[in-house]
Amino acid sequence: MQNKDDINQQLAAMVATMAQQEGFTASALDYVHFMRSEQAYSRTPVMYEPCICIIVQGRKRAYLGEAIYTYDARQYLVVSAPMPFEADTEASPEQPMLGIHLGIQQTLAAELALAVQEAQQLQADVPANATITPTFMYATQVDDTLAAAVLRLLQALASPLEARILAPAIVREIYFRILMGEQGAAMRAALSQGSHFQKITRALRKIHDGFSDKLDVDSLARESGMSLPAFHLHFKQVTSTTPIQYIKAMRLHKARLLMIRSGMNAYTASNTVGYESSSQFSREFKRLFGRSPLEEVRQMRSVLRMHEVAGLS
């Protein structure tokens, strides 16, 4: 097997070729994107959907509550539930930040987590009653086996036939490597059915899918099978924020993407994400992002823009 430095250099070269413009570039798989940033960005609010973020050059940091997660060419970030947090980026035109954003397909990830858990219990590697604290966000080291699988994924995505036939199987392998990695047990626990964390995850998905609907915290708690105090407690354990704050952040982040990627104006975007008052939307948008909607779109257009599919030849 190649050593990690050789693999990192190949990964960086391939991503640099596939992502030649600032922002995100789509791949042949709709849940895999390439990232490129040629300028540093200070700590700013972001919203990640469930994903594995693998940096091959440069560095990013994520801030969630009091925790700080650093991910660079030696580390990757896992976010297993839709999560608002803050992030910064270290990059320059000479040394751009390059990375791969791999969306987590929840059903597949949960099936793999269950299969791993059952196999380990059969082998007596993990007691059936073992207690592991679930983790919805963490950064950990990229080992040689995972790096080699990511390299094979990029090579497959460069060919139309391999992208269609081989790439999904390699994605499955990457999920498996991460579930078996240094902090994989915590992610498997987060994906397990029946836990408070899984119930909160379902609530987060409901908010994520129905962000434009009238969302009632009491109803979310009832649907999660929790009392309102328990729902608030476990919700904050997972997201480091309250349900109301989370719903607001989700809508504002969705509106920002609609304005940047779909060209909507602030009024249309605010209505689309469920705001009845455009003035309230503007106030809350500026409170979160520090700029008016127009200023934020102008500033972040290159960072968050999604470019056409790359890598196929």
Side-chain angles (χ1 to χ4, degrees), residues 12 17 23 36 45 64 69 76 83 127 134 138 145 158 165 169 172 192 212 238 242-243 246 255 263 273:
T17 299
R36 183 187 188 101
L64 181 64
Y69 305 92
Y76 62 92
M83 197 70 65
Y138 66 84
T145 306
I165 305 300
R172 183 183 179 92
S192 66
S212 61
V238 171
T242 67
Y246 181 94
V273 301

Side-chain angles (χ1 to χ4, degrees), residues 14 18 27-29 31-32 149-171 310-313:
M14 291 193 74
M18 292 173 163
S27 81
L29 295 180
Y31 50 89
V32 179
V150 173
L151 179 59
R152 284 188 282 108
L153 175 63
L154 296 189
Q155 291 167 339
L157 289 173
S159 158
L161 180 60
E162 292 189 10
R164 182 185 181 96
I165 305 300
L166 294 181
I170 301 172
V171 169
L312 296 183
S313 58

Side-chain angles (χ1 to χ4, degrees), residues 196-197 199-200 203-204 207 215-222 224-247:
H196 289 308
F197 289 85
K199 293 176 181 178
I200 295 299
L204 296 181
I207 295 169
L215 293 166
D216 176 74
V217 177
D218 287 347
S219 298
L220 289 170
R222 282 195 304 273
S224 300
M226 297 185 192
S227 67
L228 189 58
F231 182 74
H232 274 275
L233 173 64
H234 292 296
F235 196 100
K236 192 158 190 176
Q237 285 177 342
V238 171
T239 65
S240 295
T241 190
T242 67
I244 291 295
Q245 290 170 330
Y246 181 94
I247 292 168

Side-chain angles (χ1 to χ4, degrees), residues 115-127 180:
V116 167
Q117 180 181 326
E118 290 175 345
Q120 288 187 329
Q121 289 173 1
L122 284 174
Q123 296 170 9
D125 289 341
V126 179
M180 294 298 295

Side-chain angles (χ1 to χ4, degrees), residues 4-67:
K4 189 179 294 182
D5 289 337
D6 289 341
I7 295 177
N8 285 348
Q9 290 173 8
Q10 291 183 63
L11 287 170
M14 291 193 74
V15 175
T17 299
M18 292 173 163
Q20 298 186 12
Q21 302 179 73
E22 186 90 1
F24 290 81
T25 301
S27 81
L29 295 180
D30 59 8
Y31 50 89
V32 179
H33 306 136
F34 305 112
M35 304 181 295
R36 183 187 188 101
S37 177
E38 296 188 357
Q39 55 183 311
Y41 289 93
S42 58
R43 186 167 168 172
T44 187
V46 297
M47 170 73 79
Y48 279 18
E49 296 183 13
C51 68
I52 300 154
C53 188
I54 303 167
I55 303 299
V56 298
Q57 182 172 285
R59 178 176 293 111
K60 291 179 72 68
R61 277 177 293 268
Y63 304 85
L64 181 64
E66 299 298 317

Side-chain angles (χ1 to χ4, degrees), residues 22-24 36-37 39-48 60 86-89 252-253 255-261 285 288-307:
E22 186 90 1
F24 290 81
R36 183 187 188 101
S37 177
Q39 55 183 311
Y41 289 93
S42 58
R43 186 167 168 172
T44 187
V46 297
M47 170 73 79
Y48 279 18
K60 291 179 72 68
E86 295 183 318
D88 61 30
T89 301
L252 294 171
H253 279 282
R256 180 169 71 159
L257 283 180
L258 287 171
M259 289 185 287
I260 290 172
R261 294 182 177 172
F285 190 99
L288 178 61
F289 296 111
R291 290 185 283 259
S292 70
L294 184 61
E295 292 167 336
E296 178 70 4
V297 170
R298 187 182 299 122
Q299 182 72 21
M300 300 299 289
R301 180 176 286 117
S302 63
V303 183
L304 296 176
R305 180 180 297 165
M306 180 68 73
H307 301 285

Side-chain angles (χ1 to χ4, degrees), residues 63-82:
Y63 304 85
L64 181 64
E66 299 298 317
I68 302 175
Y69 305 92
T70 300
Y71 48 120
D72 53 23
R74 298 290 182 177
Q75 305 279 328
Y76 62 92
L77 182 77
V78 173
V79 182
S80 53

